[in-house]
Amino acid sequence: MFDLLGLSTQHEVIYRAMLQCPDLDVAGLAEHLGVPRDQVSEALDVLADLALVRLAPQGDQARAVRPQAGLTALLAKVEAEVAIRQRQVEETRVAIAAIATAHDECHQVTEGRVLDGVDSVRDRLVELAHSARSECLSFTTGAAQSPDTMEAEAPLNQQVLQRGVRIRNVYQESLRNDPGTLAHARWMTTLGGQSRTTPTLPMRMVIVDRAIALVPLDPGNPRQGALELRSPGVVAGLIALFEQVWLNATPFGEQATADEQGLTPQERELLRLLSAGHTDESAARKLAVSLRSVQRMMTSLTERLGAASRFQAGVRAADRRWV
């Protein structure tokens, strides 16, 4: 109980025994407690150093100091040390903030702050997770997140949600085919996070407290790093983009519903991509699905259109206003 004051369990037992039986000498305490005499002597030396006992000149007799005086004095000393430590922590916090500000200024460019490489982006996301106060918005591209990424994000997301910060994330529809990412999204939902899915996303993006946005330096290769943006006008535009995508996305836990033509959002997006000139391979990359999945969807669409070829399917899809 009194480790904070520098007392071990044995020291505390001997001190309590001395308070209860003030007439016992070293031998008597040893016999009373059933411990070796040298252990009692060692404990008395420690208690004397802590000003909890007063040793007699002959060394065989000691008197315990009343706990109201001895223990209270020790606690006051510990409290003073804690206060000093707290001041040191605050001074260190101020020093860290000054270093961080200087670092930010060194890396500031006209269009925003550049975060070189995926490690810099991850470190910055950790900082933003700790500082977020109201809301985190994000686009997560690709069919699946790596297990390491999800494992690293999980405790951060949990802490953010427990602080009352709202988290909204849009995944690509293809995540529903990945058990690991699907389980992570479900777990986030149980904590209060909100997730939706859409066939394609323009890029990865994170917006924190509607004031800071992170976008990739190269949307085609997020591992190159990110650009941190703080311009109110730019961030407002990205928020508007997020809200538009969020509005049309399918809430997590619900199946994407077919439209009046019987097309799912993913099928309609595939038709749009192909009509815009994308190959099956590039459409698969945009949808974050396999080439075989694209070909399977196109076979299904061709059959539903009653077409004998891809060209005829395109004509009939246009006639029916599918594209």
Side-chain angles (χ1 to χ4, degrees), residues 79-93:
E79 288 175 334
E81 292 172 350
V82 169
I84 292 172
R85 190 66 173 171
Q86 287 177 333
R87 286 196 299 273
Q88 291 173 337
V89 168
E90 289 305 315
E91 291 170 357
T92 303
R93 193 190 309 279

Side-chain angles (χ1 to χ4, degrees), residues 102-113:
H103 178 269
D104 289 347
E105 291 174 351
C106 289
H107 290 76
Q108 199 74 24
V109 294
T110 56
E111 65 270 31
R113 174 189 176 192

